[in-house]
Amino acid sequence: ETLRLGSGFQAGHSSAKAVEEIFTPALGKIDGMDFKVQNFPGLQLGSAEEIIQQTRDGTIFGAYISSAYFNSYVAELGALNLPFAFPSREVAFEVLDGSVRDLLAEKLKAEGFRLLGVMELGFRHVTNSAKPVTTPDDLKGMSIRLQPNPIHMETFRTLGANAVALDASELFAALEQKVVDGQENPYAVIDLYKIYESQQYVTDTAHFFDVILFVASENVMAGFPQEVQDAIAAAARATTLRQREIAASEDGEHKRHLAELGMQITELTDAQRALFREAVAPVYQKMRTQIGEAYVDEFLAAIDRASGN
Amino acid sequence: MSGIIIGLFLVIAIFGVPLAFALGIAGFAGLVIADLPLRILAQRAMFSVNSFPLMAIPFFMLAGELMVSGGIIGRLIDFANILIGRVRGGLAQVTVGAGMGMASVSGAAIADATALTSVLYRPVAKQYNGPFAAAVIAASANLGPILPPSTAMIIYATLAPGVSVRSLFMAGVIPGLMIGVLMMLTIAIIAHRRGLPLTGDRLTLVRLVRGFWTALPVLLLPVIVIGGIVGGMFTATEGGAIAVVYSLVVGLFVTRTLKLADLPGCLLRSAITTAIIGVIIAFAATITYLFTIDLLPQRLADFALAFTDSRVIFLVFMMGALMIVGMFLEPNAAYVMLVPVLAPLASEFGVDPLHFAILFVLNMVVGLLTPPVGTLLFVVSAMTEVRIGELVRELLPFIGIQYGVMLACLFLPPLALWLPGMLS
Amino acid sequence: MTARPQALPAWLNVLSRRLRQANEWAVIAMMAVMVFVVSLEVVMRYVFASSLIFASELSRLLFVWVVFLGLALAAASGKEVAIRLLPDLLKAHFRSGLILALVTRSAGISLMLLLAVVNWEFVVANWHRPLNSMPGNAGLFHLPLTIGAVLTAFHLAVGAVEAMLSRAVESPAP
Ligand code: NA
Ligand code: NA
């Protein structure tokens, strides 16, 4: 039995590394069946949206893709896009491995996905080619490229920026040509995709914490004996934990590397970050009306509990 | 499996089944062989054309249609004719010049080909002959991804850590200029041999000034589109839409030869040509998917490693293999499949990553012109109604030049690496 | 937009022409909106310091429709790109030329009908899923392939009937 995994992340990304390191060798002979994992990172099997569809159909076994691409299947995932929701990666994973997980797993299952694990994509930070950004005011009138995601767009509009929705395929050329002043991404992306070549300033805003969903096709999984399902789930769990470890250490490495390359990194003080957080309050209200007050409040309460407040 | 699919496609295509359908049928057969659901063909078809950069195709095509219908392109040709009509094959030389100009604005050969064809094919074909005109246009359009900016290079650099977009752009400048100059020389020789007709009157200052003034609104188009893209007003795809709006305004209000009644026809023609290209991309996507699932790139790499550990032999072997890949695969598919496998492999053999990158890109770019699967061949043939066989025959010297420059860069790395080294 | 030979039964001729005209106007309108939306996005950015969040998604959606509806128009006018070597060699022999034309057309028709059917699953499976940046559902991206494939099969079939009735293989496409 060949288990094919698809992803949009490149072979060097922490997610692909962890899959190769843990998941691929972990599955051999289980319950008399021979398993072989084939990993296809770097959009080899199509766009992120298409890979998700292939997983849902059972054309491939599974995928590890940014959670944002699942929003249209499970609206509640939108809460993960709320700005400044998570104070730290530790809190984020305590929440995502805890009470929130069961609800999401159930909703994903109804859409044809078995949730295997939640990996770290990372905190996103704002970069630009004009000036250091320390307050929301600095973003006023600055054009920032965002993913065409309504919550992301709304957040930056609320902060006063000129939010520009550009397709990912146009991002690098657009930065090079200065079609936009800035963009926002995790340190790993800023480094690996050489965004530092056109952007001099980065602010440690950590405004969104993005995660990767590691999912399998529910149809394919349900077709395996329980023993096999358990073995796959265990291997996936180990892979997820390893990925978080690599991602956390690489995040720091990429940040250091960017500083070495001459990017000016602005760290926000607690007071400065609080200004940003207050400014985006209207976005929370909007999210409540969009995906349900009860769910959003429960989600935020879980974050508060995990943060020990 | 990959071999069976390729063979099947060729057989079906030779029976005269339209290429898009031949790709689709071979794709279906491959899915059956691989024991995969048939609906993948439908899925891949939709997602592969669901792409923002591809929209540069209808935009630049429509801009060209508007320029032709608006009669404004005639002014550009008249002006070029005044300038070098007294040189044998002058209009073909204009085409190469226009191709280099387009290349400095656009990053994609297909967009350049559609723009150049819609603007230049009719006049050039009228003066000389159809297949020759189509070949010069196709070969000139191929400079698009070699001279910066280049979509292909951006794709390559994002797939290969250790290669920067800017250096790769710079690495393309000298090879691109070499190809342009060699093409002009070749055209001069062909023009002399065939005794191509002179197309212009004697150059006088009055004619020059009058021609320039008449052509000014058209000459401003590249200035606005190039300026807008280079100056950061808009992206290359958006530049296509801007070119449409500009041609529309000039045609309706400046030259006043374009009528509102012409618009539906222009929109329709560009839509149908877009569809013919789009559907080929759509159905090729399943075949690429099957190659990927079949681990074709990895198997090629293993094959290479079993043979040699010499850097030069490896490079020569790689270029040979990539020439064959370029004949059969659509370049974007080849980048996505092969770069992650072959770039690290090249580093293992001690090849400079930037050197390997430029050779890889040049190879794929020439592949756009080589049968049986050459996207530029399909595009230019569809737009000009010149048969692919005739087109390829006239293209041979230009394909030779482009492969020649690629080989020169292989054995003389400074041709590609000197400029990026200077500027970093 | 070209006149068809009179060999076809009148009703089929009318149906074919009507379908083609509707298709033509749909494609023309979609192309126009694509250009408008993408240009407007540029204008919005500079004149109003704003951005149309739906510009990319809407224009891509229209592009997918243009490609698959345009395929039907290309098939109706015999404009697909093909290697004409063998068909041209057989042109002199009416019978074998006709047989080859019918075989290649049947291959195209079968491909299109099969596609239309397998694609329908995607239309249904995505009809409940919202789009990212505008009203509508993700099934709208999949729908044009089925519609375009059915229309293409229809035009290919009409062309085949025409070829048999007019006792002449249709004029060769380039
Ligand atoms: Na270029
Ligand atoms: Na080729």
Side-chain angles (χ1 to χ4, degrees):
Chain A
E1 192 84 19
T2 302
L3 303 182
R4 297 190 180 103
L5 292 178
S7 177
F9 297 104
Q10 305 294 351
H13 190 266
S14 51
S15 56
K17 279 190 198 163
V19 165
E20 296 282 357
E21 188 183 323
I22 311 278
F23 197 74
T24 307
L27 300 175
K29 216 175 177 69
I30 317 167
D31 198 20
M33 292 169 82
D34 258 326
F35 284 94
K36 199 171 83 192
V37 175
Q38 281 178 356
N39 186 25
F40 297 96
L43 295 174
Q44 288 179 65
L45 301 182
S47 65
E49 206 190 333
E50 185 181 355
I51 292 170
I52 290 177
Q53 227 181 59
Q54 290 174 12
T55 305
R56 191 188 191 205
D57 286 354
T59 302
I60 58 176
F61 168 73
Y64 44 103
I65 303 266
S66 166
S67 76
Y69 289 98
F70 292 88
N71 285 1
S72 63
Y73 291 95
V74 178
E76 285 80 357
L77 280 168
L80 300 183
N81 299 132
L82 280 170
F84 302 102
F86 295 112
S88 68
R89 57 166 58 84
E90 291 76 17
V91 167
F93 287 123
E94 196 176 329
V95 171
L96 291 170
D97 286 347
S99 54
V100 175
R101 182 190 159 106
D102 294 338
L103 178 91
L104 292 182
E106 195 181 312
K107 298 254 174 194
L108 283 165
K109 189 168 180 168
E111 285 292 331
F113 306 103
R114 177 80 59 97
L115 181 60
L116 294 176
V118 180
M119 297 176 172
E120 168 169 340
L121 209 172
F123 277 111
R124 302 177 79 92
H125 310 286
V126 178
T127 73
N128 77 88
S129 57
K131 61 180 183 189
V133 168
T134 54
T135 66
D137 267 352
D138 292 328
L139 286 173
K140 288 240 152 55
M142 203 180 261
S143 58
I144 306 286
R145 179 269 170 181
L146 293 155
Q147 296 168 305
N149 172 320
I151 298 294
H152 287 192
M153 296 285 288
E154 188 64 30
T155 299
F156 276 79
R157 276 200 201 115
T158 308
L159 287 170
N162 172 15
V164 176
L166 266 188
D167 207 69
S169 55
E170 302 255 33
L171 169 62
F172 308 106
L175 290 172
E176 190 83 16
Q177 300 160 10
K178 307 226 185 305
V179 170
V180 289
D181 302 316
Q183 59 91 46
E184 44 87 58
N185 257 307
Y187 287 126
V189 175
I190 299 170
D191 192 8
L192 292 175
Y193 288 84
K194 306 180 179 77
I195 289 173
Y196 55 81
E197 285 185 358
S198 54
Q199 305 269 287
Q200 288 77 56
Y201 305 99
V202 55
T203 302
D204 194 71
T205 44
H207 50 278
F208 302 126
F209 183 72
D210 269 2
V211 295
I212 300 164
L213 296 190
F214 185 10
V215 295
S217 165
E218 178 59 35
N219 279 342
V220 177
M221 268 299 252
F224 291 142
Q226 192 58 47
E227 195 178 335
V228 172
Q229 294 187 34
D230 291 344
I232 291 175
R237 176 74 190 155
T239 306
T240 304
L241 293 178
R242 177 67 185 134
Q243 189 275 341
R244 293 178 190 172
E245 224 173 80
I246 304 175
S249 86
E250 283 187 350
D251 193 47
E253 280 165 33
H254 286 301
K255 189 176 176 183
R256 270 192 299 282
H257 188 230
L258 290 172
E260 278 168 27
L261 289 166
M263 260 193 127
Q264 187 179 326
I265 302 180
T266 307
E267 305 279 356
L268 294 181
T269 64
D270 289 347
Q272 284 167 334
R273 181 164 283 117
L275 279 180
F276 279 94
R277 194 173 293 135
E278 282 158 27
V280 298
V283 180
Y284 278 63
Q285 210 38 55
K286 199 163 182 186
M287 200 76 209
R288 282 193 177 89
T289 52
Q290 208 173 313
I291 62 177
E293 183 126 20
Y295 175 73
V296 173
D297 288 337
E298 191 189 309
F299 175 74
L300 295 174
I303 294 175
D304 278 346
R305 281 196 302 277
S307 319
N309 294 338
Chain B
M1 180 177 80
S2 301
I4 300 176
I5 296 170
I6 293 170
L8 196 59
F9 161 67
L10 291 177
V11 170
I12 300 170
I14 283 174
F15 273 94
V17 174
L19 291 177
F21 295 166
L23 289 166
I25 294 167
F28 260 141
L31 290 170
V32 173
I33 298 170
D35 194 21
L36 287 167
L38 294 184
R39 61 177 180 271
I40 293 174
L41 190 78
Q43 186 178 44
R44 296 254 65 210
M46 190 284 278
F47 279 104
S48 60
V49 290
N50 181 1
S51 143
F52 193 77
L54 279 185
M55 287 193 305
I57 300 175
F59 290 160
F60 279 110
M61 211 128 48
L62 178 56
E65 285 285 349
L66 292 173
M67 286 189 269
V68 173
S69 288
I72 50 182
I73 210 56
R75 296 189 179 194
L76 181 65
I77 306 303
D78 290 346
F79 182 57
N81 213 8
I82 290 171
L83 284 180
I84 52 175
R86 297 304 290 173
V87 178
R88 276 196 198 284
L91 268 183
Q93 305 287 17
V94 171
T95 307
V96 179
M100 292 170 83
M102 279 297 299
S104 67
V105 201
S106 125
I110 296 169
D112 293 8
T114 53
L116 290 174
T117 308
S118 50
V119 168
L120 283 163
Y121 176 68
R122 274 169 255 200
V124 181
K126 204 172 105 193
Q127 288 301 337
Y128 313 127
N129 66 70
F132 178 67
V136 173
I137 287 171
S140 305
N142 226 10
L143 292 166
I146 301 175
L147 289 170
S150 162
T151 313
M153 289 177 177
I154 293 172
I155 293 172
Y156 188 102
T158 56
L159 290 166
V163 176
S164 98
V165 176
R166 206 171 286 171
S167 318
L168 192 47
F169 275 5
M170 288 302 115
V173 173
I174 292 176
L177 293 176
M178 280 172 68
I179 291 173
V181 170
L182 287 172
M183 278 181 57
M184 286 183 159
L185 287 175
T186 310
I187 288 171
I189 294 170
I190 294 175
H192 186 74
R193 277 229 195 114
R194 298 187 187 169
L196 295 183
L198 297 176
T199 51
D201 297 324
R202 195 170 300 284
L203 181 62
T204 66
L205 187 64
V206 178
R207 280 211 184 92
L208 183 69
V209 172
R210 197 178 292 155
F212 178 77
W213 183 247
T214 321
L216 188 61
V218 194
L219 294 175
L220 278 178
L221 173 71
V223 174
I224 289 172
V225 175
I226 295 177
I229 295 173
V230 174
M233 293 284 286
F234 34 75
T235 67
T237 307
E238 290 170 344
I242 298 298
V244 170
V245 174
Y246 182 86
S247 323
L248 193 62
V249 170
V250 170
L252 288 176
F253 303 112
V254 181
T255 67
R256 297 193 192 162
T257 35
L258 187 65
K259 291 175 199 62
L260 283 175
D262 297 332
L263 296 186
C266 291
L267 287 161
L268 185 63
R269 280 191 297 277
S270 47
I272 292 180
T273 317
T274 299
I276 293 172
I277 301 162
V279 170
I280 290 172
I281 294 172
F283 292 147
T286 294
I287 293 189
T288 305
Y289 188 84
L290 290 165
F291 288 166
T292 309
I293 295 272
D294 196 27
L295 305 179
L296 183 65
Q298 286 89 329
R299 288 199 276 137
L300 278 179
D302 293 346
F303 188 68
L305 272 175
F307 263 98
T308 179
D309 54 3
S310 142
R311 188 175 64 86
V312 176
I313 295 177
F314 165 78
L315 261 185
V316 172
F317 176 81
M318 266 296 107
M319 290 308 107
L322 286 175
M323 271 167 87
I324 296 169
V325 168
M327 286 177 187
F328 288 96
L329 273 191
E330 199 273 325
N332 289 327
Y335 293 125
V336 173
M337 287 164 61
L338 296 178
V339 173
V341 186
L342 298 183
L345 186 67
S347 299
E348 265 177 56
F349 277 92
V351 182
D352 181 322
L354 187 58
H355 191 207
F356 188 71
I358 185 72
L359 292 175
F360 195 119
V361 171
L362 283 173
N363 228 321
M364 290 305 116
V365 171
V366 189
L368 291 168
L369 293 176
T370 56
V373 181
T375 314
L376 273 187
L377 292 179
F378 300 156
V379 172
V380 174
S381 162
M383 290 182 75
T384 61
E385 315 206 334
V386 169
R387 298 209 177 134
I388 288 186
E390 292 175 309
L391 179 54
V392 171
R393 199 174 317 128
E394 287 284 3
L395 261 173
L396 285 178
F398 303 119
I399 294 175
I401 287 170
Q402 301 194 355
Y403 274 133
V405 169
M406 194 265 290
L407 286 177
C409 294
L410 169 60
F411 292 109
L412 283 172
L415 286 178
L417 302 182
W418 175 75
L419 195 57
M422 281 291 293
L423 295 175
S424 69
Chain C
M1 295 197 166
T2 52
R4 292 195 163 278
Q6 292 309 303
L8 284 177
W11 67 271
L12 189 56
N13 206 2
V14 170
L15 178 63
S16 166
R17 207 177 54 229
R18 289 272 157 79
L19 279 175
R20 193 168 160 182
Q21 277 167 353
N23 194 347
E24 282 174 355
W25 284 108
V27 161
I28 288 167
M30 287 170 177
M31 278 286 289
V33 176
M34 266 168 71
V35 175
F36 181 73
V37 168
V38 176
S39 323
L40 185 64
E41 161 72 11
V42 177
V43 173
M44 290 293 282
R45 199 153 65 221
Y46 290 99
V47 184
F48 303 102
S50 177
S51 177
L52 302 172
I53 185 174
F54 58 83
S56 163
E57 196 169 28
L58 176 60
S59 51
R60 278 187 290 111
L61 177 63
L62 292 170
F63 181 56
V64 173
W65 277 84
V66 165
V67 168
F68 295 119
L69 290 186
L71 170 63
L73 293 175
S77 51
K79 269 192 184 156
E80 315 95 325
V81 189
I83 299 172
R84 301 292 312 183
L85 187 69
L86 195 55
D88 287 352
L89 284 178
L90 290 180
K91 229 172 23 184
H93 290 265
F94 171 71
R95 189 170 292 273
S96 25
L98 180 61
I99 290 171
L100 183 67
L102 291 182
V103 167
T104 57
R105 274 183 185 265
S106 316
I109 293 168
S110 319
L111 174 74
M112 287 297 119
L113 291 179
L114 188 53
L115 252 182
V117 171
V118 295
N119 184 62
W120 189 249
E121 283 182 53
F122 291 112
V123 179
V124 173
N126 290 286
W127 204 255
H128 72 292
R129 211 155 59 77
L131 291 175
N132 251 330
S133 58
M134 57 185 191
N137 67 68
L140 291 172
F141 271 96
H142 294 278
L143 187 58
L145 179 51
T146 288
I147 296 180
V150 169
L151 288 173
T152 305
F154 172 77
H155 288 301
L156 289 174
V158 170
V161 172
E162 213 175 281
M164 280 189 295
L165 292 180
S166 67
R167 288 198 53 80
V169 184
E170 74 280 18
S171 63

